Amino acid sequence: AQTVTQSQPEMSVQEAETVTLSCTYDTSESDYYLFWYKQPPSRQMILVIRQEAYKQQNATENRFSVNFQKAAKSFSLKISDSQLGDAAMYFCAFNRDNYGQNFVFGPGTRLSVLP
Amino acid sequence: DGGITQSPKYLFRKEGQNVTLSCEQNLNHDAMYWYRQDPGQGLRLIYYSQIVNDFQKGDIAEGYSVSREKKESFPLTVTSAQKNPTAFYLCASSMAGLDGYTFGSGTRLTVV
């Protein structure tokens, strides 16, 4: 079975600093998609960034970037210049293909941003 | 604007009652999903539907039922058979591939 692990239940970062959230996954597939979702206190799930497994280049979206290590099955999220609005639960997710039954979420990391 | 609407935002149910959570999307997405979220846990898949008039059980379907009579709508019924229904419920939809999911804003269900 495919699983997603986030080993840091809680993290904190000082405003304007950089923080990295860890995610590892387990799969025997070679082609898949990886995502990071953000869930602020409003509980609305927001897509932060996504990565296709066959692409070597790490995805970047403004202050958010990933370090994708396919051989190690690692997909960490780096948040640069942290802002108070970044405080949220962050979920790593894995999708083997187009279908919902293969979309697996990690347990989440709660990120606090300190002023 | 396109999106997913879940209603109600908060729902209270008495023991032994069935309740239905609404999920509507105007994104023209083929696939729709229901997830349950409990504290300290990730999202767990209840049911999903890839096409109208067809749906499949997810990992925790017991005590739940769904229908997909229209592309835009995917209501979830929490039946009295669900032993611990108090949770946060999220509906999502997607097109294929890398787009990932678009989520609704969720419904908080509490059994009183």
Side-chain angles (χ1 to χ4, degrees):
Chain A
Q2 287 130 350
T3 59
V4 176
T5 302
Q6 294 177 249
S7 59
Q8 307 149 316
E10 296 184 359
M11 293 278 288
S12 63
V13 62
Q14 208 72 33
E15 196 175 4
E17 296 294 310
T18 296
V19 65
T20 298
L21 308 183
S22 300
C23 173
T24 58
Y25 56 93
D26 184 27
T27 183
S28 57
E29 301 293 326
S30 58
D31 290 329
Y32 46 87
Y33 307 104
L34 293 160
F35 304 84
W36 277 98
Y37 281 89
K38 169 185 176 182
Q39 189 180 41
S42 68
R43 306 203 77 170
Q44 176 75 54
M45 293 283 281
I46 302 164
L47 178 63
V48 175
I49 199 165
R50 52 197 162 195
Q51 174 84 39
E52 298 166 75
Y54 67 85
K55 285 192 175 179
Q56 301 272 353
Q57 187 172 4
N58 289 323
T60 299
E61 288 285 342
N62 301 314
R63 298 182 294 107
F64 299 88
S65 61
V66 298
N67 183 3
F68 174 48
Q69 302 289 330
K70 191 173 183 180
K73 297 179 183 175
S74 171
F75 184 61
S76 60
L77 175 69
K78 186 172 82 170
I79 306 174
S80 304
D81 185 25
S82 297
Q83 300 175 359
L84 294 177
D86 294 334
M89 283 289 287
Y90 286 82
F91 293 96
C92 179
F94 166 94
N95 188 18
R96 189 185 77 173
D97 55 29
N98 297 338
Y99 303 114
Q101 74 273 28
N102 289 309
F103 211 110
V104 179
F105 288 86
T109 296
R110 181 173 300 281
L111 178 66
S112 301
V113 180
L114 308 173
Chain B
D1 287 339
I4 297 182
T5 301
Q6 287 188 244
S7 61
K9 193 173 181 66
Y10 300 96
L11 187 57
F12 297 88
R13 190 194 91 172
K14 291 184 178 179
E15 295 263 3
Q17 284 183 337
N18 294 353
V19 289
T20 298
L21 283 60
S22 171
C23 179
E24 303 275 336
Q25 56 101 357
N26 61 2
L27 300 164
N28 200 33
H29 285 172
D30 290 318
M32 297 186 74
Y33 315 88
W34 274 106
Y35 283 89
R36 172 178 170 141
Q37 186 178 22
D38 293 286
Q41 298 191 38
L43 279 66
R44 293 185 291 168
L45 182 63
I46 305 172
Y47 268 99
Y48 66 97
S49 168
Q50 295 172 17
I51 196 169
V52 174
N53 292 323
D54 185 58
F55 48 83
Q56 305 296 328
K57 292 182 179 179
D59 300 319
I60 55 165
E62 185 176 351
Y64 300 97
S65 65
V66 293
S67 63
R68 188 86 186 276
E69 297 176 1
K70 299 185 301 181
K71 188 176 185 177
E72 301 79 17
S73 179
F74 192 42
L76 173 74
T77 297
V78 184
T79 74
S80 57
Q82 170 50 234
K83 296 289 186 274
N84 184 22
T86 294
F88 186 67
Y89 291 87
L90 279 163
C91 179
S93 70
S94 75
M95 293 295 276
L98 190 58
D99 285 344
Y101 287 179
T102 300
F103 283 90
S105 56
T107 294
R108 175 73 186 177
L109 173 63
T110 303
V111 174
V112 296

